[in-house]
Amino acid sequence: RPLLPRLRALSFVAVVRAEAEAVAWNDPSCCCDVPAVASCAPNLERLELRCPRLHLGRVSWRPGQGVDDLAWMCRRFCATNLASLRNVCGLLPAL
């Protein structure tokens, strides 16, 4: 039985499964898990996948690296894996 059967719109960054532990972005414990969202809220009509916020204090900035290089690296790191979007229309037919 779905947890949120009446939910029609959702904006989210990640599904986090082990909040007591430190988890890394885009590993199985912290990722854009569309099948998990679909099982909790199967009647979604609008789904917005957001990127995590970057914490610049924790990013390694190498000599010679410009702001554009840093922004590209962060976008690549935070990008949603396209495989996680496979069968999204089958999982959420009302989208």
Side-chain angles (χ1 to χ4, degrees):
R1 185 172 155 211
L3 294 173
L4 305 165
R6 298 177 74 192
L7 188 66
R8 299 290 182 255
L10 178 67
S11 174
F12 81 107
V13 173
V15 174
V16 179
R17 290 189 176 77
E19 61 185 88
E21 307 171 13
V23 295
W25 171 250
N26 250 348
D27 73 7
S29 296
C30 179
C31 62
C32 175
D33 191 344
V34 175
V37 170
S39 69
C40 293
N43 297 315
L44 284 176
E45 296 172 355
R46 190 176 71 80
L47 181 63
E48 178 184 9
L49 306 177
R50 300 178 63 191
C51 290
R53 284 192 176 172
L54 176 64
H55 187 314
L56 288 175
R58 298 181 71 186
V59 174
S60 298
W61 198 317
R62 295 184 177 95
Q65 193 174 35
V67 175
D68 290 338
D69 299 323
L70 184 63
W72 179 83
M73 180 186 70
C74 294
R75 278 195 306 268
R76 193 183 82 218
F77 174 76
C78 296
T80 299
N81 183 345
L82 290 179
S84 67
L85 301 177
R86 184 177 297 131
N87 196 29
V88 69
C89 293
L91 296 168
L92 296 164
L95 278 181

